[in-house]
Amino acid sequence: MLADFYMMADKEGDDDGSVGVALETKPKTKRPPMYKVLILNDDFTPMEFVVHVLERFFGLSHAQSFELMLIVHKKGVAVVGVFSHEIAETKVAQVMDFAQRHQHPLQCTMEKE
């Protein structure tokens, strides 16, 4: 008799009009790939110009810019920032355009991190 009571309670519970909570798992969104912006050394661009570029386009302090410029000068290349594709592409274009307008052969490139 007690078993009959539980079976009836189960059946009644199914038809009580209550609303269940649907659990959904959110799809994991991937972070967009990041890109390193690199400044390359050359034998013609003045060091002061490189420092100016780093301050102007990458928002670095004079001390940070000077330090990075020395790394470029000694090692031949330095990563000056890591950005999304669109921002990295814009920074490279700005630096290249600025260098060209000032008749310096400074090279700036980007590569996937």
Side-chain angles (χ1 to χ4, degrees):
M1 184 160 181
L2 197 53
D4 291 335
F5 173 75
Y6 284 119
M7 288 177 72
M8 288 177 65
D10 282 345
K11 287 181 184 174
E12 289 174 4
D14 290 341
D15 296 332
D16 67 355
S18 64
V19 178
V21 177
L23 299 176
E24 291 184 26
T25 57
K26 289 185 179 181
K28 291 199 176 201
T29 52
K30 281 180 124 177
R31 288 185 56 126
M34 300 299 278
Y35 291 80
K36 297 185 283 189
V37 175
L38 307 144
I39 296 279
L40 307 175
N41 188 43
D42 65 72
D43 294 333
F44 304 102
T45 304
M47 292 180 180
E48 298 81 25
F49 184 79
V50 176
V51 170
H52 179 69
V53 163
L54 294 171
E55 291 172 347
R56 180 173 178 158
F57 296 106
F58 297 94
L60 301 174
S61 70
H62 185 75
Q64 291 170 320
S65 298
F66 190 81
E67 191 176 318
L68 262 175
M69 175 276 299
L70 286 177
I71 292 170
V72 171
H73 182 69
K74 291 176 183 175
K75 295 189 175 183
V77 65
V79 175
V80 295
V82 180
F83 309 95
S84 68
H85 185 270
E86 293 79 15
I87 293 173
E89 200 170 49
T90 300
K91 298 254 184 214
V92 168
Q94 289 173 329
V95 169
M96 295 295 290
D97 180 58
F98 190 71
Q100 191 174 26
R101 283 189 287 133
H102 288 85
Q103 299 176 345
H104 294 299
L106 182 65
Q107 294 294 302
C108 184
T109 62
M110 61 188 263
E111 65 181 40
K112 204 169 188 177
E113 188 177 40

